[in-house]
Amino acid sequence: MSVENAPVVDVDEAAIPVEKKMYYRFESNDKKEFRVSELAIQQSETLNRLVEAMGYTSEDVENKPAIAIENIDGKTLKLVFQWCEHHKGEAIPVDDGSVPKIVEIPEFDAKLMDIDNGLLFKLIWAADYLNIVQLLNVSCKKVANMAQGKTPAQLRRVYLLPSDEEDEAAKRAAQEAQDPRAREVEEEFEERKRQGGNSFF
Amino acid sequence: MAETSDNNPIATMENMPPEMLDEILDKLEPIEKLICKRVCRKFYRSVNRLDPGFFKIHVFTRGIWFNGLQMIRYRNRGNNCVVKYAGKEKIIENSNYMDVMISDLFTVLTNQNLHLAELRLLCADPVFAKIHELVVRNELTNLRTEHLIITTDFMYPALTTIFNALNYNNLQLNYIAEHILEPNLQQLERSLREIIDLVPAGVNFNLGIPWLDTLPIGSFLKFKRIELRITSHSNLSGRNIGNIIQTLLTSNVLEYCFLSAKYDIDDVIEFLTDEAHLQENEDVFVVEIPDKNERYTVELFENEFEITRSGN
């Protein structure tokens, strides 16, 4: 199924769901509304618990206000729900540490995440906030893949991270925060930089 | 629909909360995790919180092999260190190759989330000296590996430091062959005693050594599982082997021993039957353990024997 055909719908785009299944209405923090199937919601532990606690009937869904998701904007939430609809009914991975984490990005997910970095980072944040394990896995993997074959300097450019000079300010701020562990880490990092340009890693 | 939202604070890697950065960096290949440590402090902290993803590390004189990676090779070129990995070269200016190599090794070894199954040190003495120097300087202890495999000269003092810094359940110690021709046997025997004293009793001990007339076999009685590989130019006598067996049978804890050496099986059987007065049946001796309702079974083969403990 292509990303464009994923069945998540903005309310104003298609008011009546085709299937007669339980749907819920959600609203982003910029007032975009979405209808999402009950099965798709199960991919999100957070939303699943929320709708279970609410105990809505089909009539409640239509008559009561949409469930507000305060921390996520409409553009990000649309991607989230498209992902959930596409993967509805799939088993949710359990990380018990017993098997190495090997994450493959399916074609649908790859297309869905063909977006700019800012939106991708928001998608990660949303996946984490809504506790959508596999979406978090694939979106993190997508960002991790950007690091392949790069040097530290190239990675700073790819991830738009500050240069060493700019980072000095952050170092001072961390020390001022008087967090002993933070300071320890700063010193360790500095020591490794001093020791060498002296390390391959 | 809005492109971005001020209510959502995260839109850059720099603002990424630590737990999410950990999720991302945990998806990296092990070598990329190591390289990411040099990106910035935030990445450095994050990678330190993660499992580096290595379970086998082999250290050679001029290279380190981490499972899943190609060999990383180090050498000096003028005043610089040249590191070769996957067909690429990196020059680290004004650095000695060994400093760089051992620094890289400890970058991984000191990670608290490392779950190392095997650490193999198959390297020349100067590498051990550098490891010793780093362990002492940084007061390192509790570095963990399930299997520790060391091939070296036992008389090298840095070994003591290494044994003290590492925790392991299985130890394989190999004396390097070229030294057998010119050993100071008394010193070797003394070094071996010192090493055995440092090895915790619960460790499965696997030792490869040249034959020593004064082999401190009594020092092995604290171990439950022993594998001894003894090398010699000529056959050991039935008495040599018979004495080892007799001593091992006095252990209170030994559960299994395998020994390989050059000997004539008939000489050993003759010693055990005539002088040790053990009962033999088709090259097998069964010795009851007093007051324990258990027995040792000694099974002799050409050039190797097994001792196993069993009970009712």
Side-chain angles (χ1 to χ4, degrees), chain A residues 7-163:
Chain A
V8 166
V9 289
D10 298 349
V11 165
D12 54 358
E13 289 171 9
I16 303 164
V18 178
E19 300 168 62
K20 289 191 175 178
K21 290 178 182 170
M22 183 73 173
Y23 278 72
Y24 288 90
R25 288 163 52 230
F26 294 95
E27 188 179 80
S28 64
N29 62 6
D30 52 356
K31 307 298 177 193
K32 290 295 293 181
E33 197 174 306
F34 301 91
R35 279 179 182 274
V36 187
S37 70
E38 191 177 21
L39 196 56
I41 287 168
Q42 288 173 6
Q43 289 293 325
S44 163
E45 190 184 332
T46 306
L47 293 183
N48 200 34
R49 282 189 182 169
L50 186 66
V51 297
E52 275 181 10
M54 288 177 149
Y56 275 12
T57 62
S58 302
E59 289 72 33
D60 289 336
V61 171
E62 298 305 331
N63 298 329
K64 294 189 176 180
I67 300 165
I69 301 178
E70 300 288 349
N71 298 325
I72 304 175
D73 64 40
K75 195 168 184 180
T76 311
L77 205 52
K78 182 169 185 175
L79 291 173
V80 168
F81 288 145
Q82 279 180 329
W83 188 93
C84 290
E85 288 290 0
H86 184 82
H87 292 279
K88 65 186 172 191
E90 291 179 11
I92 294 167
V94 178
D95 179 15
D96 60 2
S98 62
V99 287
K101 284 180 250 176
I102 298 169
V103 179
E104 302 280 349
I105 303 180
E107 193 182 341
F108 174 88
D109 297 14
K111 282 185 183 171
L112 186 86
M113 294 187 295
D114 189 11
I115 49 182
D116 65 65
N117 282 0
L119 189 53
L120 182 59
F121 293 149
K122 285 197 224 175
L123 184 64
I124 291 175
W125 191 91
D128 184 63
Y129 177 72
L130 298 175
N131 205 349
I132 307 171
V133 177
Q134 188 58 10
L135 178 57
L136 185 61
N137 277 338
V138 292
S139 52
C140 286
K141 180 68 176 174
K142 161 93 177 176
V143 177
N145 284 348
M146 296 174 190
Q148 277 176 357
K150 303 284 194 308
T151 64
Q154 287 169 331
L155 287 172
R156 279 192 282 275
R157 284 197 292 276
V158 167
Y159 291 136
L160 301 175
L161 289 162
S163 66

Side-chain angles (χ1 to χ4, degrees), chain A residues 10 29-30 32 34 70-76 78 101 103 117-119 121-122 124-125 128 136-138 140-141 143-145 147-152 155-156 159-162 164 167-168 171 174 181-182 185-186 188-190 192-193 195-201, chain B residues 1-5 7-14 16-17 19-20 23-29 31-32 34-45 48 64 66 69 72 74 83-85 88 90-93 95 99-101 103-108 137-138:
Chain A
D10 298 349
N29 62 6
D30 52 356
K32 290 295 293 181
F34 301 91
E70 300 288 349
N71 298 325
I72 304 175
D73 64 40
K75 195 168 184 180
T76 311
K78 182 169 185 175
K101 284 180 250 176
V103 179
N117 282 0
L119 189 53
F121 293 149
K122 285 197 224 175
I124 291 175
W125 191 91
D128 184 63
L136 185 61
N137 277 338
V138 292
C140 286
K141 180 68 176 174
V143 177
N145 284 348
Q148 277 176 357
K150 303 284 194 308
T151 64
L155 287 172
R156 279 192 282 275
Y159 291 136
L160 301 175
L161 289 162
D164 285 352
D167 215 21
E168 281 301 310
K171 178 193 165 194
R181 177 57 197 151
V185 171
E186 299 302 330
E188 200 183 333
F189 180 78
E190 285 305 317
R192 281 195 55 80
K193 274 175 69 181
Q195 277 176 1
N198 39 33
S199 167
F200 175 59
F201 299 148
Chain B
M1 190 180 300
E3 291 283 315
T4 58
S5 164
N7 294 336
N8 187 335
I10 166 178
T12 66
M13 200 67 151
E14 196 186 353
M16 189 75 72
E19 64 276 12
M20 272 181 252
E23 280 285 345
I24 292 168
L25 298 187
D26 203 23
K27 305 282 186 297
L28 293 170
E29 294 297 318
I31 187 74
E32 288 158 354
L34 292 173
I35 289 168
C36 272
K37 287 186 83 165
R38 295 176 63 77
V39 168
C40 64
R41 293 175 180 83
K42 199 169 176 176
F43 276 39
Y44 177 83
R45 286 186 206 110
N48 276 349
I64 307 178
F66 297 93
L69 305 187
I72 304 172
Y74 303 79
V83 185
K84 276 191 174 178
Y85 177 73
K88 291 181 183 170
K90 181 183 176 185
I91 294 173
I92 297 162
E93 291 180 353
S95 296
D99 289 334
V100 176
M101 185 173 93
S103 170
D104 285 350
L105 171 67
F106 277 89
T107 292
V108 177
R137 194 199 313 150
N138 296 301

Side-chain angles (χ1 to χ4, degrees), chain B residues 53-248:
Chain B
F54 299 120
F55 52 87
K56 281 188 184 179
I57 301 174
H58 296 178
V59 183
F60 301 92
T61 303
R62 290 178 183 278
I64 307 178
W65 176 81
F66 297 93
N67 67 283
L69 305 187
Q70 295 177 29
M71 175 87 90
I72 304 172
R73 297 183 188 281
Y74 303 79
R75 65 187 168 92
N76 287 332
R77 185 190 290 161
N79 291 331
N80 304 328
C81 165
V82 179
V83 185
K84 276 191 174 178
Y85 177 73
K88 291 181 183 170
E89 263 191 13
K90 181 183 176 185
I91 294 173
I92 297 162
E93 291 180 353
N94 300 316
S95 296
N96 179 281
Y97 91 89
M98 210 179 299
D99 289 334
V100 176
M101 185 173 93
I102 301 306
S103 170
D104 285 350
L105 171 67
F106 277 89
T107 292
V108 177
L109 275 186
T110 52
N111 186 306
Q112 294 183 348
N113 296 309
L114 179 71
H115 300 291
L116 197 57
E118 181 181 299
L119 175 62
R120 184 183 292 260
L121 305 173
L122 180 61
C123 40
D125 290 351
V127 180
F128 281 104
K130 186 55 69 179
I131 293 174
H132 162 87
E133 183 189 317
L134 229 103
V135 166
V136 170
R137 194 199 313 150
N138 296 301
E139 299 176 356
L140 297 175
T141 54
N142 281 329
L143 305 175
R144 267 214 62 80
T145 176
E146 184 62 23
H147 292 264
L148 175 61
I149 302 167
I150 298 181
T151 301
T152 185
D153 175 352
F154 294 171
M155 289 177 275
Y156 197 69
L159 267 188
T160 308
T161 314
I162 291 165
F163 278 117
N164 281 332
L166 286 158
N167 287 333
Y168 46 89
N169 290 326
N170 300 277
L171 173 65
Q172 183 179 327
L173 203 51
N174 306 305
Y175 189 88
I176 43 180
E178 53 264 35
H179 286 68
I180 295 174
L181 300 175
E182 43 164 322
N184 176 335
L185 290 177
Q186 276 186 337
Q187 194 186 340
L188 175 57
E189 187 259 334
R190 200 165 49 246
S191 300
L192 187 55
R193 274 184 202 278
E194 286 173 10
I195 287 170
I196 295 171
D197 283 347
L198 287 172
V199 179
V203 165
N204 298 327
F205 194 20
N206 182 322
L207 179 67
I209 45 165
W211 169 251
L212 301 167
D213 285 328
T214 52
L215 180 70
I217 197 69
S219 305
F220 292 88
L221 296 180
K222 66 179 181 178
F223 299 112
K224 285 183 178 176
R225 297 183 71 84
I226 311 166
E227 187 171 326
L228 286 169
R229 290 164 287 107
I230 298 174
T231 50
S232 60
H233 292 297
S234 54
N235 270 4
L236 301 180
S237 70
R239 179 176 299 278
N240 291 146
I241 298 296
N243 279 336
I244 291 174
I245 293 173
Q246 271 198 296
T247 306
L248 291 173

